[in-house]
Amino acid sequence: QVHLVESGGGLVQAGGSLRLSCAASGSIFSVHAMGWYRQAPGKQRELVASITSGGSSNYADSVKGRFTISIDNSENAMYLQMSSLKPEDTAVYYCNARISGVYGTNNYWGQGTQVTVAS
């Protein structure tokens, strides 16, 4: 089995910064790509940023220039450095990863971490 665990969420004032982490563990052969999604109350889950194992990244327009995604292939870990946070960034942030393991290649989700930005 594969598990994703997020950490680093919390409460921050507008304009502040937070760093989210996601660690994958279990029977992993390779991690192909990882990404951060978020879901605010009453809204659909949306892609925030994604990155391949080769380092190619993609960002939602709403976070470009403020958020930076990175991956550590040796640790099967991913990070999201969030700066200049806005109240509209408030959401539960979920880690997603496409991983090959003993059960084939599948998409996995973490349990989510709350980010609250106070105005």
Side-chain angles (χ1 to χ4, degrees):
Q1 191 55 282
V2 173
H3 299 280
L4 300 180
V5 178
E6 302 104 333
S7 60
L11 173 64
V12 65
Q13 293 292 317
S17 299
L18 281 175
R19 186 177 188 243
L20 303 183
S21 301
C22 173
S25 62
S27 301
I28 297 172
F29 295 159
S30 63
V31 176
H32 303 290
M34 301 183 81
W36 289 99
Y37 288 73
R38 68 186 181 186
Q39 188 167 20
K43 294 188 177 181
Q44 289 188 328
R45 190 173 297 189
E46 63 176 358
L47 175 67
V48 175
S50 63
I51 189 167
T52 67
S53 58
S56 296
S57 59
N58 180 56
Y59 295 91
D61 288 343
S62 59
V63 306
K64 282 181 181 177
R66 300 188 297 121
F67 291 9
T68 302
I69 192 170
S70 59
I71 193 168
D72 184 338
N73 292 311
S74 65
E75 298 290 336
N76 293 329
M78 171 182 63
Y79 308 94
L80 186 68
Q81 179 66 47
M82 305 186 293
S83 303
S84 302
L85 283 161
K86 304 175 181 180
E88 50 264 44
D89 294 318
T90 295
V92 178
Y93 283 69
Y94 296 91
C95 171
N96 173 269
R98 186 158 183 80
I99 294 172
S100 292
V102 295
Y103 300 104
T105 300
N106 296 288
N107 282 315
Y108 295 91
W109 290 92
Q111 81 286 353
T113 185
Q114 177 70 46
V115 171
T116 302
V117 184
S119 57

